Amino acid sequence: MTEPFTRVAALPAHVGETVTVNGWLYNGRGSKGLRFLELRDGSGVVQVVVREGDVDAGSWEAAEALTQESAFRVVGEVRADERQTGGVEVQAASVEVLALAEPYPITPKEHGVEFLMDRRHLWMRSQRQWGAMRVRNRIITAIHGYFQGEGYVQMDAPILTGNAVEGTSTLFELDYFDEPAYLTQSGQLHGEAMAMAHGKIYTFGPTFRAEKSKTRRHLTEFWMIEPEMAFYDLDMNMEVAEELLVAIAEAVIADCKPELDILGRDVDALRRATQTPFPRLTYTEAVDLLTSEETQAMLDAEIAALEEERGGLEAERDENRAAYGQAKKGEKRRIDAREIEINVRLDEIEEALRNLPQWKASARDFEWGADLGGSDETVLTRHFSTPVIVHRYPAAVKAFYMKRDPEDDRLALGMDVLAPEGYGEIVGGGERATDLAFLREQVAAHGLPESAFDWYFDLRRYGSVPHAGFGLGLERTVAWVCGLGHVRETAPFPRLLGRLHP
């Protein structure tokens, strides 16, 4: 439909025209006879200039009365101004208050994470959170675009299941008409059935993990994209994962420049991540690299660089504080804003300096046969500027349905894709076992009820073929693409251990 007003994102196409713009006050400032109102409408932010002599008395009173996040309407002329976001501003002819906001709890000062999470419904209005959600949207459309363009059929796996995919220890159990049921931890098993009907499918839906984990990579509710492909082997599977990640990164780079600027994302680093082919390491090669002297030296150098950066930032903060008392109002605002930036970075440095010695010890002492932990993945990815694919893990640390390596029965034909810059695993998958007897043995060995998997065994009774697939975690992918330090900023209303509201 044609809207009776103009969105901020569309204003550059209306330079010289009089438009109506609706939105909320993101920020406001001014002096006698002049007000600058930053209006946000969800599509972007634009500066509205209100001059007392150019508007009626009611409009001027409205402009002066506006509080942060008040809703208002402006009628005015769009003028080009390259200094402004979007290259335009609006010269107001009239201003109308739609809803005057109460004192807003989230101010430009620094707030703690718990404070912001308790007010997630308001925090998402901030520019950084707005940018992350817009990138999330573009990632989602890029995922659909890739699979639809490659001939996949989107299918839906059930959220309620009667069987676990990887054991019941990390599942949410509920009563399903006097029968135990679980919130799904993966759509993979059902995806395999759908691939036997359609050849190539992908599911895109919510999944749940009851792990009592508080790391920066874990959510209890998250979205998973899971392709399954009949007649694919491990190598083909790795190629699909690589193509998908490149398609995602390229789409965001091409279409989300304003959002990436807001997030402060290093676009060059993201662009380097699209260079193919991605490095492919066997698990054994990954362990050799992880435990190497090269890795120890790399981490020592990183610790030294962070300590030097910390000293420089602390010195700058002290200088700013010393100059604050004599500074003019505008300079004080700059110093305040810079102190927030410095404190955020210092917190990041302190966390890194706490973690790095532990990571260094973990890498040095890692033993073949163990699963790669989050810190191990982080350390490995520091050697590469692109995602790296680790494959052929010990079968003991992989799921029961993984096919064994015919050249070494200790290994499973599984693979993980680890994102660069320390983000770790964003894709996990592999080639599926096709032998019915083997699967039965594995179900029994994992202590799972065979009756719950009888339907799954049918896929091997009636036309079993080589097939493979993987799961891509949406929120972890958003964190990597946006350069976010914690997955809590990657979902509109994240669910974490101890966090069920808002």
Side-chain angles (χ1 to χ4, degrees), residues 49-353:
V49 181
V50 188
R51 290 185 169 84
E52 186 175 9
D54 293 343
V55 297
D56 58 65
S59 292
W60 179 249
E61 290 176 6
E64 287 196 303
L66 289 171
T67 53
Q68 186 179 355
E69 289 303 318
S70 290
F72 67 110
R73 174 177 295 128
V74 173
V75 177
E77 181 185 345
V78 182
R79 296 185 182 178
D81 188 338
E82 293 304 319
R83 298 169 299 175
Q84 304 302 324
T85 302
V88 297
E89 65 180 15
V90 175
Q91 298 287 327
S94 69
V95 179
E96 177 188 355
V97 176
L98 301 178
L100 201 62
E102 298 178 13
Y104 198 60
I106 302 177
T107 63
K109 72 175 185 179
E110 192 173 357
H111 293 287
V113 170
E114 288 306 310
F115 177 92
L116 293 171
M117 288 296 291
D118 287 341
R119 294 159 182 82
R120 181 63 177 168
H121 52 295
L122 302 177
W123 187 26
M124 65 170 56
R125 300 182 185 188
S126 72
Q127 282 291 279
R128 179 179 170 85
Q129 305 306 309
W130 175 87
M133 291 303 99
R134 304 281 284 204
V135 173
R136 177 187 171 110
N137 173 72
R138 186 63 187 96
I139 289 173
I140 290 171
T141 60
I143 290 168
H144 285 297
Y146 171 79
F147 284 122
Q148 293 294 325
E150 292 291 323
Y152 288 70
V153 178
Q154 184 187 358
M155 304 288 283
D156 299 311
I159 293 174
L160 293 174
T161 67
N163 57 280
V165 177
E166 299 175 5
T168 59
S169 61
T170 61
L171 286 172
F172 290 104
E173 184 174 345
L174 49 85
D175 183 353
Y176 189 73
F177 303 107
D178 298 324
E179 180 180 351
Y182 307 96
L183 293 178
T184 184
Q185 60 186 181
S186 169
Q188 181 215 306
L189 302 188
H190 292 89
E192 289 185 48
M194 294 184 279
M196 298 306 110
H198 294 275
K200 296 195 300 185
I201 67 95
Y202 70 105
T203 63
F204 198 137
T207 53
F208 307 85
R209 297 288 171 91
E211 293 172 286
K212 293 185 177 180
S213 174
K214 291 186 177 181
T215 77
R216 63 185 178 89
R217 299 179 183 176
H218 283 87
L219 295 171
T220 56
E221 174 188 300
F222 57 98
W223 287 71
M224 187 84 83
I225 298 88
E226 297 182 274
E228 287 290 330
M229 296 81 69
F231 306 104
Y232 273 48
D233 61 17
L234 178 63
D235 289 335
M236 297 167 75
N237 197 39
M238 290 191 283
E239 187 173 347
V240 173
E242 178 179 275
E243 288 181 356
L244 175 60
L245 290 174
V246 169
I248 289 170
E250 289 181 340
V252 172
I253 292 168
D255 299 333
C256 297
K257 184 180 185 305
E259 293 85 353
L260 296 175
D261 287 345
I262 289 169
L263 292 163
R265 183 61 166 112
D266 184 346
V267 179
D268 288 337
L270 193 57
R271 188 174 288 110
R272 287 193 296 272
T274 64
Q275 296 173 1
T276 57
F278 295 164
R280 287 160 168 74
L281 304 178
T282 65
Y283 168 86
T284 299
E285 290 169 338
V287 171
D288 289 343
L289 179 58
L290 185 64
T291 57
S292 68
E293 289 299 322
E294 178 186 357
T295 293
Q296 295 292 298
M298 177 187 70
L299 295 177
D300 284 338
E302 185 169 347
I303 290 170
L306 287 171
E307 288 174 341
E308 181 179 353
E309 183 184 358
R310 178 177 61 185
L313 289 172
E314 288 173 342
E316 180 186 353
R317 184 178 61 185
D318 291 343
E319 291 174 4
N320 286 341
R321 287 175 176 176
Y324 193 84
Q326 303 300 317
K328 294 182 179 180
K329 187 176 181 180
E331 179 63 9
K332 285 182 176 179
R333 283 200 299 267
R334 186 200 68 77
I335 291 174
D336 287 338
R338 178 57 181 157
E339 176 138 349
I340 291 174
E341 292 175 353
I342 289 174
N343 288 339
V344 169
R345 180 55 184 156
L346 285 174
D347 287 344
E348 293 172 348
I349 290 173
E350 289 303 322
E351 181 181 4
L353 289 175

Side-chain angles (χ1 to χ4, degrees), residues 340-372:
I340 291 174
E341 292 175 353
I342 289 174
N343 288 339
V344 169
R345 180 55 184 156
L346 285 174
D347 287 344
E348 293 172 348
I349 290 173
E350 289 303 322
E351 181 181 4
L353 289 175
R354 285 193 302 271
N355 289 332
L356 281 165
Q358 300 172 26
W359 296 354
K360 181 181 173 184
S362 176
R364 182 191 61 232
D365 300 335
F366 190 91
E367 294 184 359
W368 195 100
D371 199 5
L372 293 173

Side-chain angles (χ1 to χ4, degrees), residues 474-496:
L474 176 61
E475 284 75 15
R476 288 189 182 184
T477 303
V478 173
W480 162 55
V481 172
C482 291
L484 300 173
H486 199 294
V487 290
R488 63 177 163 244
E489 295 187 58
T490 64
F493 292 98
R495 293 294 176 249
L496 305 96

